[in-house]
């Protein structure tokens, strides 16, 4: 049998060609790139609090106005997710991530010269926020395409870069500020974030081609054309090759690969059956942003899960220190509680990846159990008293948060939600919907805290959102198989009827009848002449 990897000695700018999902290979390099990108995006966002006091003193602004810098940044990052999907499908993941790294670095560097908080809103909030979106989402998408059986474990482990960044960046930036000041420290962070561009250059597009394609057997067409991205009419367009997975039976769709596989071209030139059969399937998916996922009931339920669950992601990190201070815990001990939460999140991400990597297992149900346990953790915070009570709740919450935060986006690639073929578009729409909760969540919790004069109300509101998210998550699997199964069957039957009435097959019996009539007439004339 042939090797799985079709092209190994290609330059870093070329696509990787496999006969199946490799579950390794260059995917390990992509996983490392995602680890670094995660650290330099979400890790920096979570560590930005070390600049808060300096910014308030330099600009003479309140804490709420300074906090809007990160709020705008996170909102822009999630709101522009569909744009990231469109650009990735058009220009490829590599170029988009590299451009995102330039925007992230430029925004942070220019922000170090800001003279007002409004300048920070534009530089870090909008410029860097857009760069964070263009850097993170395409990286996690292409990483999911390199792995199948190990997808959950690899993605969960690689996503711990965010947690390790919180450990290292916060104390490092604090120590650096004491030596060179906050402006040059922010400038140094911006230069460091330029490494995202280098990570983006490692994101080789992956091309998957069936090994049996050289045989040109029509029997294989039913499985191969299921994943066709280009047919005979669009095979001359190779602009989407760099955007991710391309499973095709046409060697012309892989630029620069004709020399590596000279034997596979001759059967395609002499055997025209694959090309002729490729014209019969429906139009291939070449849309820059496929909004058809919005007609999928399972994805709609999963999107509502992400919308409400996002309300519960931010509360402990924002309010654990004020809550602990209100209980009489010192500032240093309050910081220890937050650090313990981050450490527990690392173990939670790794544990979730290990569990979801087991087979046979229904991953959507494991995610549901983790969300329910995460809701319990949010409810437990208001009942905690003293340092050790909050410490236990924080460790428990951090662990459960890791199980959900590190897996909810990669689960889009599972067949219970949308599948790997539509993950790129689904991830853009999913994160876009999350942005609504990310923008409304913190102000809503702040209003409740100001109204009740109690930080416990923020945790209750987030727990309520998490419970609603669990309810929608529980409907994902039934919508995919049970409740909407009859509806999907009707749609498939309707499509089959339309294809049978509109296509050329109904004309075949008429041809055969004409041929039979012609034969009968000829035989009749022959008998008369005799």
């Amino acid at each position: 049998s042939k090797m799985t990897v079709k092209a190994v000695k290609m330059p870093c700018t070329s696509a990787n060609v496999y006969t199946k999902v490799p579950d390794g290979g260059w995917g390990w390099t992509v996983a490392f790139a995602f680890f670094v990108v995660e650290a330099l995006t979400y890790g920096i966002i979570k560590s930005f609090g070390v600049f808060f006091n300096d910014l308030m003193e330099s600009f003479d602004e309140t804490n709420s106005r300074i906090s809007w810098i990160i709020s705008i940044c996170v909102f822009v990052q999630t709101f522009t997710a569909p744009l990231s999907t469109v650009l990735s499908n058009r220009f490829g993941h590599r170029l988009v991530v590299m451009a995102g790294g330039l925007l992230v670095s430029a925004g942070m560097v220019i922000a170090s010269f800001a003279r007002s908080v409004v300048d920070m809103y534009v530089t870090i909030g909008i410029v860097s926020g857009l760069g964070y979106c263009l850097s993170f989402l395409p990286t996690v998408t292409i990483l999911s395409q390199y792995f199948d059986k190990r997808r959950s474990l690899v993605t969960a482990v690689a996503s711990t870069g965010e947690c390790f960044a919180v450990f290292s960046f916060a104390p490092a930036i604090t120590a650096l500020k004491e030596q060179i000041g906050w402006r040059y420290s922010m400038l140094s962070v911006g230069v460091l974030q330029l490494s995202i561009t280098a990570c983006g250059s490692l994101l080789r597009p992956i091309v998957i081609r069936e090994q049996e394609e050289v045989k040109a057997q029509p029997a294989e067409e039913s499985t191969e054309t299921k994943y066709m991205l280009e047919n005979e009419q669009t095979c001359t367009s190779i602009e989407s090759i760099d955007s991710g997975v391309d499973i095709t039976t046409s060697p012309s769709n892989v630029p620069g690969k004709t020399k590596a596989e000279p034997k596979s071209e001759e059967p395609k030139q002499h055997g025209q059956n694959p090309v002729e059969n490729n014209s019969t399937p429906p139009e291939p998916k070449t849309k820059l942003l496929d909004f058809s996922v919005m007609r999928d009931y399972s994805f709609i339920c999963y999107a509502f899960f992400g919308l409400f669950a996002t309300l519960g992601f931010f509360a402990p990190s924002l309010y654990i220190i004020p809550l602990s201070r209100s209980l009489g815990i010192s500032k240093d001990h309050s910081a220890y509680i937050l650090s313990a939460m981050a450490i527990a999140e690392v173990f939670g991400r790794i544990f979730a990846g290990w569990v979801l990597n087991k087979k046979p297992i229904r991953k959507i149900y494991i995610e549901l159990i983790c969300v329910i346990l995460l809701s319990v953790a949010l409810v437990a915070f208001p009942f905690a008293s003293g340092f050790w009570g909050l410490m236990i709740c924080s460790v428990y919450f951090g662990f459960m948060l890791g199980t959900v935060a590190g897996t909810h986006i990669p689960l889009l690639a599972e067949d219970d939600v949308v599948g790997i073929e539509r993950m790129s578009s689904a991830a853009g729409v999913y994160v876009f919907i999350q942005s609504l909760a990310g923008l409304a969540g913190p102000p809503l919790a702040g209003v409740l805290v100001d109204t009740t004069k109690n930080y416990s109300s923020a945790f209750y509101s987030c727990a309520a959102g998490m419970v609603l998210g669990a309810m929608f998550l529980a409907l994902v699997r039934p919508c995919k198989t049970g409740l909407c199964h009859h509806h999907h069957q009707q749609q498939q039957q309707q499509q089959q009827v339309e294809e049978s009435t509109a296509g050329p097959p109904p004309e075949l019996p008429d041809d055969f009848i004409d041929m039979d009539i012609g034969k009968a007439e000829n035989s009749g004339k022959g008998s008369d002449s005799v």
Side-chain angles (χ1 to χ4, degrees):
S1 60
K2 296 184 180 180
M3 295 178 61
T4 300
V5 181
K6 288 281 187 177
V8 179
K9 298 181 180 180
M10 292 182 179
C12 189
T13 57
S14 301
N16 283 335
V17 184
Y18 296 89
T19 58
K20 62 179 181 179
V21 179
D23 260 326
W26 191 257
W28 298 116
T29 304
V30 178
F32 172 77
F34 177 63
F35 179 89
V36 178
V37 170
E38 183 89 5
L40 295 178
T41 53
Y42 281 103
I44 294 297
I45 291 176
K46 288 189 174 182
S47 303
F48 192 79
V50 299
F51 292 108
F52 268 33
N53 292 332
D54 302 288
L55 296 179
M56 285 189 294
E57 294 176 0
S58 298
F59 300 144
D60 192 21
E61 295 287 353
T62 61
N63 191 4
S64 60
R65 285 180 59 85
I66 297 298
S67 63
W68 271 105
I69 298 175
I70 295 300
S71 297
I72 295 174
C73 178
V74 174
F75 174 73
V76 172
Q77 177 187 3
T78 53
F79 188 80
T80 56
L83 175 63
S84 174
T85 299
V86 170
L87 294 178
S88 297
N89 291 335
R90 177 63 178 84
F91 301 104
H93 297 82
R94 179 192 292 115
L95 292 178
V96 173
V97 174
M98 294 176 68
L102 292 176
L103 288 176
V104 171
S105 178
M108 191 66 69
V109 169
I110 297 174
S112 63
F113 300 97
R115 297 302 175 186
S116 65
V117 68
V118 177
D119 297 339
M120 289 283 187
Y121 293 162
V122 176
T123 55
I124 296 180
I126 298 178
V127 178
S128 293
L130 178 60
Y132 287 138
C133 178
L134 299 181
S135 303
F136 172 78
L137 195 58
T139 308
V140 68
T141 300
I142 195 171
L143 177 62
S144 299
Q145 295 170 354
Y146 268 95
F147 292 89
D148 183 16
K149 297 179 181 178
R150 302 174 180 174
R151 182 186 300 140
S152 299
L153 179 61
V154 173
T155 306
V157 174
S159 66
T160 58
E162 168 189 342
C163 305
F164 284 107
V166 175
F167 299 149
S168 57
F169 287 161
I173 294 174
T174 302
L176 191 62
K177 286 193 308 177
E178 298 177 356
Q179 300 295 327
I180 60 177
W182 72 267
R183 289 187 180 274
Y184 286 106
S185 299
M186 188 174 293
L187 177 64
S188 302
V189 171
V191 174
L192 179 63
Q193 288 179 314
L194 195 61
S195 303
I196 297 176
T197 304
C199 294
S201 65
L202 299 176
L203 304 181
R204 293 185 187 177
I206 177 174
V207 179
I208 298 178
R209 303 174 63 198
E210 294 294 338
Q211 186 174 355
E212 295 79 8
E213 64 180 0
V214 296
K215 300 178 182 179
Q217 294 181 357
E220 296 293 329
E221 286 299 306
S222 60
T223 58
E224 291 179 357
T225 57
K226 178 181 178 182
Y227 303 99
M228 285 288 293
L229 295 181
E230 296 182 357
N231 59 7
E232 183 181 5
Q233 285 75 20
T234 59
C235 64
T236 58
S237 176
I238 59 175
E239 296 174 346
S240 62
I241 290 297
D242 193 44
S243 62
V245 175
D246 185 14
I247 305 178
T248 178
T249 58
S250 177
S252 63
N253 286 345
V254 185
K257 305 300 181 296
T258 56
K259 295 182 179 180
E261 295 177 310
K263 296 181 180 180
S264 62
E265 291 185 5
E266 296 180 359
K268 296 303 175 185
Q269 294 175 357
H270 295 86
Q272 299 298 326
N273 290 333
V275 177
E276 294 175 358
N277 291 337
N278 288 345
S279 60
T280 56
E283 187 70 17
K285 298 177 182 179
T286 58
K287 297 179 180 179
L288 295 179
L289 185 62
D290 186 8
F291 280 104
S292 65
V293 294
M294 297 300 295
R295 297 194 297 267
D296 194 332
Y297 295 128
S298 60
F299 173 76
I300 293 176
C301 292
Y302 197 83
F304 276 109
F305 150 70
L307 176 67
F308 291 107
T310 304
L311 297 175
F313 288 162
F314 67 89
S317 59
L318 289 180
Y319 294 104
I320 186 62
I321 292 181
L323 178 63
S324 60
R325 295 289 293 161
S326 65
L327 296 178
I329 301 175
S330 64
K331 184 178 181 180
D332 294 336
H333 285 77
S334 300
Y336 294 154
I337 295 175
L338 188 60
S339 299
M341 182 188 300
I343 295 174
E345 185 177 347
V346 174
F347 290 99
R349 289 173 181 262
I350 297 175
F351 175 78
W354 177 75
V355 171
L356 294 179
N357 196 50
K358 298 293 183 181
K359 285 191 175 183
I361 191 172
R362 184 65 64 182
K363 297 180 181 180
I364 200 74
Y365 293 152
I366 300 298
E367 185 81 357
L368 177 60
I369 295 174
C370 294
V371 172
I372 294 174
L373 295 177
L374 185 59
S375 304
V376 175
L378 289 169
V379 175
F381 269 104
F383 296 95
S385 60
F387 171 77
W388 288 109
L390 283 180
M391 176 65 76
I392 294 174
C393 290
S394 298
V395 171
Y396 174 54
F397 174 83
F399 184 86
M400 299 312 305
L401 178 64
T403 61
V404 177
T407 57
H408 68 107
I409 293 181
L411 277 181
L412 290 169
E414 299 298 323
D415 293 334
D416 285 340
V417 188
V418 296
I420 188 64
E421 293 84 7
R422 296 191 295 169
M423 181 190 176
S424 180
S425 296
V429 178
Y430 175 75
V431 176
F432 169 78
I433 294 175
Q434 275 189 302
S435 67
L436 303 178
L439 182 65
L444 175 62
V447 170
L448 293 176
V449 171
D450 294 337
T451 303
T452 61
K453 306 299 180 181
N454 190 348
Y455 289 104
S456 299
S457 59
F459 292 89
Y460 285 135
S461 64
C462 293
M466 193 65 67
V467 171
L468 288 175
M471 294 174 59
F472 281 102
L473 183 61
L475 295 175
V476 172
R477 176 65 180 170
C479 284
K480 197 70 175 182
T481 58
L483 297 179
C484 304
H485 183 64
H486 181 67
H487 177 71
H488 289 308
Q489 283 184 342
Q490 290 181 347
Q491 288 183 342
Q492 292 177 357
Q493 292 176 357
Q494 184 178 0
Q495 291 178 356
Q496 292 177 357
V497 171
E498 292 177 356
E499 293 177 358
S500 61
T501 55
E507 298 177 359
L508 293 177
D510 296 334
D511 295 336
F512 288 119
I513 293 174
D514 293 338
M515 293 175 62
D516 293 337
I517 294 175
K519 291 180 179 180
E521 291 177 355
N522 293 332
S523 61
K525 291 180 181 179
S527 61
D528 293 339
S529 62
V530 173

